[in-house]
Amino acid sequence: MSTPLPNLSSGSVPLSRIREQARKALVEALDSVRGKKILILDRKVSGFLGLIAEVPLLKEHGVERLLYLQEEPLTGIDVRSVIYLVRSRIENAQLIAQQVLQTNKLGTKLEYSVFFMPRRTMVCAKVFQEEGIAADVTLSEYPLDFIPFDSDILSLELDDAYKELVLDGDTSSLYYTARGLMQLQSLYGTIPEVKGKGGHALAVKNLLTLMRREMGLKAPRTGGGQIDTLVLVDRTVDPLTPFCTQLTYEGLVDETLHIKNGIVQLGAEGQKQQKFALNSADKVYLELRDLSFAAVGPKLSERAKGLQTDYKGSKGSERSLAELKDFAAQLKSLPNITRHINLAEAINRVIARQNFRDRVTVEQSLLDGHSVDACCETIETLMYQNEDLMTIIRLLCILSHTQGGVPKKHWDVLRREVLHTYGHEHILTLAALQDAGLLKSQQGGRSTFPAVKKAFRLLLDNVNDTDPTDIAYTYAGYAPLSIRLVEHALRSSTGESSSKELGLEEALKAIPGPAFDIVQTVDEHGLPVEQSAGAGLLQGSRDKKRRVVLVMFIGGVTFAEIGALRFLSTRPEVRSDFVIATTKLVNGSSMLATFLEDVVSEAMLSKQPSNAT
């Protein structure tokens, strides 16, 4: 299916260069294998590859057929060359090995080329050696780093990055993050100011410093770059936000219908699903996506009535050609308006249900710190009603984070009920969440959340959904800590200080992980160095009327958080345009799914809201 791609040149930084670079590298990979070929993709790659190159381009470079990776032998093949384009995962290497072995048994002689992404690994090469196919395949890599999803969104699409960091101790995603950021600096110039909070953020900063030093005089130029500030946000600093229910339009589309690679599917169960691209190429979506869902209905109504009024006014009246042209352009948006009315109706069917309302009520009570016992009872009731497991685990993680652990008197009851309701195999799920620090029992001592909540104003009363003045509208009164940290970082960049800011500095110490603020510059020999930002080196950038800020989320970012940053960019006091980069676009359910066993994970995600139809 061909879907409209966003205009990547329309943002504060022309991200089209990244797509062009990735497309060029893909073409070079395809052309390295002469003649006609079959391209075999793992399913995850096939989704985001469409954001880089469309099928006609692949055909121009000899691709006769596109197939998904599986272990069954290749049959009915009328070309000699086969290219595998897969992520560098052991399971993918094993599937390739099985397919090659079974195809060889049939006597079919083919030439196999394997391109691992984002890089070739020794582990995958070892699988081929152990399976006895090392001599049959040519190994290479397709160094795809950031994938542009929209004019202001980049993602590395590292599905398991958060779980690998907090549970497995695998830090490879930090290397890929640093490499991707170096790629951006090679395209857009060195980013002078780098700020961040958290251990993983500091590790990425250190890798950037090391990479610049290794490049020496060949490091990206300093001065005149297109990005002024890099803010590194470590997801472990704010694991709470993704578990809360997003209440922006884009966030709720993702929560209820799931946005995958910029595409959403809609249709009644048993009927053919319609696929829609959701990006800034759709001007109606551009206007709606970051609004509170409560404001979407009135906005769509206003749009539809405006078209109706213009149509009535056009009948029997003389109009200039320019006016008729404008009216015709407006009429082109009518299918988009209808599409978003259908999406909004699908969301409404979900959020009108009592279990959804109970879920949001529990979240808000826990964030408030009120009625904890009642919340635990409601979570039990939701389990009795066979509520989706992901929802239950999200609520348990919110309970654990906001209360400094699940109260002891509820700990065993809630864990036992999870196992009885959803299966005893989930004892491994609960153990993994405990090992990752996302779920624990209260062990005495005070939770730091109330102090952080107060200092950073994470909860606001009487938020105006239709005309908000604060980012808290994105979660119905809860302001994501991650975005509050970005706000704080930008205020300190402008040199603003107050007793309030000094109070935040104290609260910042209660949040896990180191904070840093450095300047990337060069020494007297032109060699890359970093210096403390307190040396007055950034005064020129601080005086600029408007900055471009790259916010990199290590471990994932939600659409509501993205909406909050876009909202901030409209505030006159912020004076910043944002580009958002991440290891993965997530919601609470997709983030938690990585902690489940693969088979269980797929089963849970497949069960999730078909309830929206």
Side-chain angles (χ1 to χ4, degrees):
M1 183 198 70
S2 178
T3 58
L5 295 176
N7 178 6
L8 299 181
S9 298
S10 62
S12 55
V13 176
L15 301 184
S16 53
R17 293 189 207 170
I18 299 172
R19 184 195 285 163
E20 290 162 6
Q21 190 178 70
R23 192 175 284 172
K24 180 181 177 183
L26 178 61
V27 166
E28 288 174 355
L30 294 176
D31 289 347
S32 68
V33 177
R34 293 183 179 180
K36 295 180 178 180
K37 64 216 72 168
I38 289 174
L39 180 61
I40 300 178
L41 310 170
D42 80 51
R43 289 184 181 271
K44 292 285 178 70
V45 169
S46 69
F48 57 71
L49 192 66
L51 296 166
I52 300 298
E54 295 173 294
V55 173
L57 178 68
L58 304 180
K59 290 185 175 180
E60 283 177 24
H61 293 273
V63 175
E64 290 287 294
R65 292 170 62 188
L66 278 170
L67 300 175
Y68 286 128
L69 177 61
Q70 52 189 2
E71 65 179 50
E72 284 77 11
L74 294 169
T75 56
I77 303 299
D78 54 1
V79 298
R80 292 193 59 194
S81 299
V82 175
I83 295 179
Y84 291 94
L85 184 61
V86 299
R87 293 163 302 151
S88 48
R89 299 173 67 97
I90 291 174
E91 55 266 36
N92 285 338
Q94 291 170 335
L95 282 173
I96 291 170
Q98 290 304 311
Q99 188 166 70
V100 170
L101 287 170
Q102 292 193 45
T103 303
N104 287 346
K105 284 180 182 178
L106 297 177
T108 306
K109 297 298 180 182
L110 300 173
E111 297 176 359
Y112 302 99
S113 299
V114 181
F115 287 84
F116 285 111
M117 52 188 292
R119 65 171 175 170
R120 171 183 168 178
T121 64
M122 293 179 64
V123 174
C124 290
K126 188 176 180 181
V127 170
F128 291 156
Q129 289 177 344
E130 292 173 348
E131 296 290 343
I133 67 160
D136 295 315
V137 298
T138 302
L139 301 186
S140 189
E141 63 183 43
Y142 173 41
L144 181 63
D145 292 312
F146 282 115
I147 302 159
F149 275 68
D150 215 325
S151 59
D152 60 350
I153 301 177
L154 298 167
S155 177
L156 293 167
E157 285 303 281
L158 302 174
D159 292 9
D160 298 329
Y162 182 72
K163 175 236 180 186
E164 289 171 351
L165 289 170
V166 301
L167 182 64
D168 303 334
D170 181 351
T171 59
S172 56
S173 60
L174 302 182
Y175 169 80
Y176 295 137
T177 299
R179 190 178 79 170
L181 291 171
M182 284 301 295
Q183 176 208 22
L184 293 184
Q185 292 187 101
S186 70
L187 291 172
Y188 304 110
T190 295
I191 304 170
E193 186 177 30
V194 180
K195 307 163 81 69
K197 172 71 174 172
H200 298 134
L202 180 63
V204 169
K205 187 273 293 181
N206 290 339
L207 281 169
L208 282 175
T209 300
L210 180 62
M211 289 175 178
R212 290 182 71 237
R213 285 176 179 165
E214 288 177 344
M215 293 182 74
L217 294 173
K218 294 181 180 179
R221 68 190 186 280
T222 57
Q226 296 183 54
I227 303 172
D228 301 299
T229 302
L230 167 63
V231 180
L232 296 168
V233 179
D234 186 340
R235 187 77 273 170
T236 62
V237 166
D238 176 23
L240 172 64
T241 294
F243 299 135
C244 298
T245 302
Q246 306 170 75
L247 293 175
T248 60
Y249 179 51
E250 188 168 39
L252 270 173
V253 171
D254 189 44
E255 293 277 6
T256 58
L257 300 169
H258 309 302
I259 301 172
K260 295 182 179 179
N261 304 301
I263 303 291
V264 69
Q265 297 189 52
L266 181 65
E269 196 168 337
Q271 296 181 4
K272 184 178 179 181
Q273 299 281 303
Q274 289 183 294
K275 294 184 178 182
F276 304 124
L278 296 178
N279 58 54
S280 56
D282 178 347
K283 300 307 177 186
V284 177
Y285 188 60
L286 180 64
E287 184 179 358
L288 297 177
R289 63 185 179 185
D290 302 318
L291 298 179
S292 165
F293 186 69
V296 169
K299 183 64 71 174
L300 283 170
S301 177
E302 178 186 318
R303 272 263 194 169
K305 286 177 180 176
L307 277 177
Q308 186 179 35
T309 301
D310 283 350
Y311 175 72
K312 288 179 178 178
S314 69
K315 298 172 75 173
S317 64
E318 294 293 330
R319 288 194 170 202
S320 67
L321 288 176
E323 288 174 327
L324 289 172
K325 185 178 179 181
D326 288 342
F327 180 57
Q330 289 183 57
L331 284 179
K332 287 183 180 179
S333 69
L334 187 57
N336 287 352
I337 293 173
T338 303
R339 178 185 310 155
H340 289 292
I341 289 172
N342 292 337
L343 284 173
E345 287 176 343
I347 293 169
N348 260 326
R349 286 194 287 273
V350 175
I351 67 177
R353 295 174 182 172
Q354 188 59 47
N355 61 348
F356 184 90
R357 294 179 180 180
D358 290 344
R359 163 187 173 179
V360 173
T361 298
V362 169
E363 289 178 12
Q364 292 177 340
S365 295
L366 292 174
L367 291 168
D368 248 335
H370 297 151
S371 308
V372 176
D373 289 342
C375 288
C376 292
E377 291 172 9
T378 302
I379 294 172
E380 280 188 69
T381 300
L382 287 170
M383 283 193 269
Y384 298 150
Q385 295 170 350
N386 205 31
E387 178 59 75
D388 175 70
L389 173 61
M390 293 296 189
T391 298
I392 298 301
I393 296 178
R394 285 170 70 165
L395 292 174
L396 291 177
C397 289
I398 294 172
L399 171 63
S400 180
H401 187 84
T402 56
Q403 310 306 312
V406 178
K408 285 187 177 181
K409 62 181 177 180
H410 296 290
W411 173 249
D412 288 333
V413 174
L414 290 170
R415 289 173 73 249
R416 185 170 60 247
E417 199 56 50
V418 168
L419 301 181
H420 285 172
T421 305
Y422 303 103
H424 287 275
E425 67 270 21
H426 288 294
I427 194 168
L428 298 175
T429 303
L430 297 176
L433 294 171
Q434 285 179 254
D435 291 342
L438 295 174
L439 190 61
K440 63 181 181 180
S441 170
Q442 282 181 354
Q443 299 298 327
R446 298 180 62 184
S447 169
T448 59
F449 181 71
V452 172
K453 176 174 68 176
K454 181 178 179 181
F456 283 92
R457 296 174 56 249
L458 299 187
L459 279 186
L460 297 183
D461 296 324
N462 303 318
V463 173
N464 188 331
D465 288 330
T466 56
D467 187 21
T469 57
D470 188 272
I471 61 171
Y473 83 93
T474 56
Y475 285 90
Y478 166 69
L481 175 60
S482 57
I483 311 304
R484 283 286 195 243
L485 290 172
V486 173
E487 283 186 284
H488 174 62
L490 296 182
R491 278 196 293 267
S492 62
S493 281
T494 58
E496 294 178 22
S497 61
S498 63
S499 57
K500 179 181 174 182
E501 290 299 309
L502 292 174
L504 288 182
E505 289 295 340
E506 286 302 312
L508 205 59
K509 295 174 184 177
I511 300 172
F516 55 88
D517 186 354
I518 62 101
V519 177
Q520 297 190 119
T521 184
V522 294
D523 63 15
E524 64 273 16
H525 304 293
L527 295 173
V529 293
E530 70 171 48
Q531 297 182 18
S532 169
L537 299 171
L538 290 171
Q539 195 57 48
S541 70
R542 288 172 177 170
D543 289 341
K544 289 200 306 186
K545 289 184 177 180
R546 198 159 184 88
R547 294 166 297 178
V548 175
V549 180
L550 173 64
V551 184
M552 174 74 217
F553 290 84
I554 303 164
V557 66
T558 67
F559 286 107
E561 288 173 300
I562 291 172
L565 284 172
R566 288 175 178 149
F567 173 79
L568 276 187
S569 71
T570 67
R571 307 301 294 172
E573 67 275 12
V574 176
R575 303 193 304 277
S576 298
D577 293 314
F578 294 99
V579 177
I580 300 101
T582 183
T583 50
K584 176 68 179 173
L585 293 163
V586 300
N587 59 43
S589 298
S590 64
M591 198 167 89
L592 284 170
T594 62
F595 288 85
L596 278 64
E597 293 292 329
D598 286 345
V599 174
V600 177
S601 170
E602 290 300 321
M604 290 303 102
L605 284 178
S606 66
K607 284 181 184 177
Q608 273 208 302
S610 57
N611 57 6
T613 58

